Each structure stands twice: as C-alpha cells, then as structure tokens.
Amino acid sequence: MDKLVIEGGRELSGTIRISGAKNAALPILSAVILADGEYNISEAPELVDIATMLKLLNEFGISSERTGKSVKINSQYNHEGYIAPYELVKTMRASVLALGPLLARKGRAKVSLPGGCAIGERPVDLHLKALEAMGAKIVVEHGYIYAECPKLKGAIINFDIVTVTGTENIMMAACLADGETVLRNAAQEPEVVDLARFLKKMGARITGEGTSEIRIMGVEKLYSTDYAIMPDRIEAGTFICCVGAAGGSVEITNVPVDVMRTTLDKIAETGLQIDRINSTTIRVTKTKPLVSTDVSTAPYPGFPTDMQAQFMSLMTVGNGFSVVTENIFENRFMHVAELKRMGADIKLKDKSAMIRGVKGLTGAPVMASDLRASASLVIAALMADGKTEISRLYHLDRGYEDFVEKLSGAGASLARVKE
C-alpha cells in the first residue's frame, strides 16, 4: 500500500492542466448500455473508479480499450448480461447508475447495493421510488436490487430531495420509456447537463437540463456516438486551493470557468488572486496571507460539498475566525481530526466546523478517510512546516488523475512511497 510524503513550504509555479470530470464520465459510461455500437469517449480520466466502471460494463457485454485519454467502447447486440456484482459495486457507489439503463434497455437488472466513500448515508430509495412510478417491479433482498419491467412508462417524478445520481439514473431510464417523463426538483449540476448533452447526441429528446425541471420524451432507439467529457470543476478547485496553501503563481488550463463561479468567488474572498485569461484558463496567485471567510455547502449552483474539505484546509491558517457548514452529507468532517493533528484549531458543532486560524501547521503522519479528505490533507501538508505522511492513498487515486505528477511538476516536494 502506498503513502504520500510531502515536504511543506515549496511555492508552486508553472502550468497545470485539468483532466476530464470523473463525476461526468461515470454516468456517461453507464449510458452506453442504452445503445449498441461503437463509441469514442475522449477526456476520460485514468482513475480507479473509471477502470471499475469499464469492468462493470464488460459484465453486460460491452468491451473497451483505452488509448491515452480516450476510451473506445463496443457494445454488443443481444448480450444477456444484466447483473452488477457486489465484487465490483462495493468499491464504487456510481455503479448504481447502471440500474436505470439496464432496466430501460434489457427489461431487467440485478444491481448490488452500492459502496464508495464513507461520508454518510446516500440511499438509493429515491431511484427505486422513481422507477416504480415508471412501472418497474423492484425487490431489495440479499444485498441486491432486483428490478423488472418489459417497458418503462413515462411519469411525473417529484424528488423529495435533490439527488444527482438519482436525476442521472432516471433521466437515462426515461430516454427509452413510453411517453414523457418529468423530473421535478432535479439536480442542476454541470455533470447532469454533460450527461444530457451526451444522451441528446445519441438521439434522446431532453429539455430543461440545468434547471430544476427536466423533461424527457422517450424514443424507440438510441445510437452510439463520440463525445468529449467536460473538465473536472472539483479538480480545478482543488488545485486552486493548493496554490492558496503553498503560495506562488500557477496557470491552470482546461478549467470549466463558467460553471465554477460560486467556487471561484468564495475562494477569492480569502484573498487569493484569480485572474481569468480566457474561457478555459485562469492564473492563480497568492500575494498576501489568507483571510478567514465562512462557507456553507449546497446543491449546484451553491458551493459544492466536494470542495468543503479542501476549503477548510485553507481556513486553518486564515487570519480570523471562520465557520464551515456542511448541508449535504452528515459524516463529511472526518478530515477534521487529522487536520487537528497538524495543529489546526477546529471545533465541531452539529453541521458546522468553527475554525480559528493559526499561524501555521506542522507536518505529521495522517490518514485519509475519503476522496476529498485526502485532497484536503495534501493541501494542509503543502503549507505545513516539515514532513507530512498521508496513508490510505487509494482514496486519492479514486478521483484525481496524475495528482502527484501535476503537483510535483509545479514545484511541490512530494513522492509516493511504499508503506
């Protein structure tokens, strides 16, 4: 098992290019279940989760071959595979995204209840309730979801709470249903919009993506196509925070600037200078000490929960007092204990973390608890005095492509070593 060893205090410089978005790539790869043929999916990041999804697709008769940043996919006609086994699903919650497409295309699905990061309850009951409204018969037993329906029917779906994977799952299922499906209180995340673009390129009839009401008129057939995954807004935000931690000036390219306004504005409040060079390039420069500022997570277009841990790391050395409130997941403060080991002054109360900025952090052995927590510890280590060792590095590998290489290329002192 690998660990990451980081020597703090090195300013960053140069250029970092942002990879394709994992959270857009996973549902788009699931969507190829809906139509046979050949696909070329470019800007697909080389990540553990992406590799797991490709293995899962192989269970359904869908082969793939990676060449650089592109994945060539061949979906076989009349393959009988419809089971998403526990061995694959247990490592990645996004595997549940196979449920809707399998049911729509093959009339049945057997999908293991999902695993993934231990950041709190993320039940799939909203997915199941919606599919039942579309005519599916569903049984949950022995750790699996069993679903059957010869032909899904369009329906009006009112989500009780905003759910990104639920919106994506039902949107995919509705593409081949009879009649119109209306999703209300739908997720508005850019990754949902990217999936809708891909589905429409396959021949789907979708309107309203990016708003709280999405309408899908079912069609008889969809077709294979080529597509480029959008850039990863969370990766971009993470590297911006890295510059805020380490100091220096870095040009960051392939940034989805237009969908990051809330994140960019909030980080700019800390005193970090963010200059927009063009539609996809920014320059991030640290010219003065960070200023404490509050943040509260919310569904898009609010501040993303996936940036909460990274932002908190910056606030540990902010000049003043800040409050970070987590409104999406109830167990997403597991990085706090590790940050305190490095000298952070943080107190938890209900959904909020009260942070009093300290003069500096010190390196220490720490442990990653989930994907974004691992990134927050890297950020803390970049500004800490001395050496930090981060174990359980596999969490980082689930969501960041070439993370160590990108940071070391910008001047950071870090290396992967065997524990």
Side-chain angles (χ1 to χ4, degrees):
M1 191 176 294
D2 288 353
K3 65 179 178 181
L4 192 59
V5 179
I6 303 175
E7 191 73 36
R10 301 283 188 90
E11 286 194 354
L12 303 182
S13 63
T15 301
I16 294 175
R17 185 182 187 276
I18 301 304
S19 300
K22 180 197 81 159
N23 288 342
L26 292 172
I28 284 171
L29 290 174
S30 299
V32 307
I33 297 169
L34 293 168
D36 294 318
E38 295 184 352
Y39 300 79
N40 185 47
I41 307 299
S42 57
E43 294 296 336
E46 291 189 72
L47 301 170
V48 172
D49 278 8
I50 299 298
T52 301
M53 180 60 78
L54 294 176
K55 289 178 183 176
L56 184 60
L57 291 177
N58 193 59
E59 298 284 325
F60 313 138
I62 300 172
S63 61
S64 60
E65 179 183 356
R66 178 178 282 278
T67 304
K69 301 302 180 186
S70 296
V71 177
K72 292 184 178 180
I73 294 173
N74 185 18
S75 183
Q76 298 293 329
Y77 180 70
N78 264 348
H79 191 277
E80 290 300 312
Y82 66 96
I83 300 172
Y86 172 72
E87 289 72 24
L88 290 175
V89 176
K90 68 179 180 180
T91 63
M92 185 184 66
R93 175 180 162 74
S95 303
V96 76
L97 289 167
L99 178 61
L102 282 174
L103 193 54
R105 183 71 198 284
K106 303 195 177 188
R108 58 179 176 168
K110 178 183 175 183
V111 178
S112 173
L113 290 169
C117 283
I119 58 175
E121 288 296 321
R122 297 191 282 184
V124 298
D125 59 333
L126 297 178
H127 306 229
L128 307 187
K129 181 180 177 183
L131 290 171
E132 286 177 330
M134 298 174 72
K137 294 181 179 180
I138 296 175
V139 176
V140 180
E141 60 183 13
H142 307 302
Y144 277 86
I145 301 165
Y146 297 82
E148 289 189 2
C149 187
K151 185 72 171 177
L152 294 170
K153 307 291 184 183
I156 296 176
I157 308 297
N158 293 291
F159 289 116
D160 295 333
I161 59 173
V162 175
T163 165
V164 174
T165 54
T167 299
E168 292 167 338
N169 222 343
I170 307 309
M171 184 165 64
M172 288 187 282
C175 287
L176 293 178
D178 279 338
E180 185 181 50
T181 299
V182 181
L183 307 184
R184 291 176 177 161
N185 198 28
Q188 302 175 48
E189 269 68 7
E191 295 78 14
V192 174
V193 175
D194 209 36
L195 172 62
R197 290 194 197 104
F198 177 67
L199 291 169
K200 289 200 282 189
K201 201 172 179 189
M202 293 174 69
R205 296 174 60 189
I206 302 171
T207 58
E209 66 274 17
T211 74
S212 62
E213 182 172 295
I214 303 175
R215 292 178 175 267
I216 309 102
M217 180 62 71
V219 297
E220 284 297 317
K221 187 177 181 180
L222 295 174
Y223 302 88
S224 61
T225 188
D226 297 340
Y227 196 74
I229 304 294
M230 68 172 286
D232 195 320
R233 62 192 173 106
I234 305 302
E235 183 191 354
T238 299
F239 280 118
I240 292 171
C241 288
C242 286
V243 180
S249 183
V250 175
E251 187 172 286
I252 305 179
T253 65
N254 198 37
V255 179
V257 177
D258 289 340
V259 300
M260 291 185 64
R261 290 171 185 167
T262 301
T263 300
L264 296 178
D265 288 347
K266 180 54 66 174
I267 295 177
E269 286 182 22
T270 70
L272 200 59
Q273 183 176 328
I274 303 174
D275 298 311
R276 183 168 180 171
I277 296 175
N278 56 44
S279 61
T280 59
T281 303
I282 61 174
R283 175 165 287 279
V284 183
T285 307
K286 186 177 182 181
T287 59
K288 55 187 177 182
L290 298 172
V291 177
S292 295
T293 186
D294 299 340
V295 72
S296 183
T297 65
Y300 189 86
F303 190 86
T305 180
D306 279 355
M307 279 299 303
Q308 177 256 106
Q310 300 92 307
F311 188 84
M312 185 186 293
S313 287
L314 288 187
M315 291 300 90
T316 62
V317 297
N319 183 14
F321 183 86
S322 60
V323 179
V324 174
T325 303
E326 174 56 56
N327 295 305
I328 308 300
F329 295 121
E330 73 279 2
N331 198 26
R332 206 162 201 177
F333 283 145
M334 290 187 289
H335 50 285
V336 168
E338 303 303 294
L339 291 175
K340 290 172 73 171
R341 285 175 50 78
M342 300 176 70
D345 184 354
I346 306 172
K347 291 181 173 60
L348 296 179
K349 184 178 180 181
D350 300 326
K351 299 189 299 180
S352 296
M354 281 71 72
I355 308 160
R356 189 179 302 277
V358 297
K359 289 186 178 180
L361 301 180
T362 56
V366 291
M367 181 182 298
S369 57
D370 60 71
L371 170 55
R372 305 309 172 184
S374 63
S376 77
L377 296 178
V378 172
I379 291 165
L382 290 173
M383 58 186 168
D385 180 33
K387 183 171 67 176
T388 299
E389 296 184 358
I390 304 173
S391 59
R392 297 175 68 179
L393 203 55
Y394 56 86
H395 286 297
L396 192 73
D397 294 337
R398 288 187 51 239
Y400 292 97
E401 181 182 52
D402 298 332
F403 191 76
V404 173
E405 291 78 6
K406 289 179 181 181
L407 269 182
S408 60
S413 174
L414 74 170
R416 296 179 75 116
V417 298
K418 294 292 182 182
E419 289 195 80

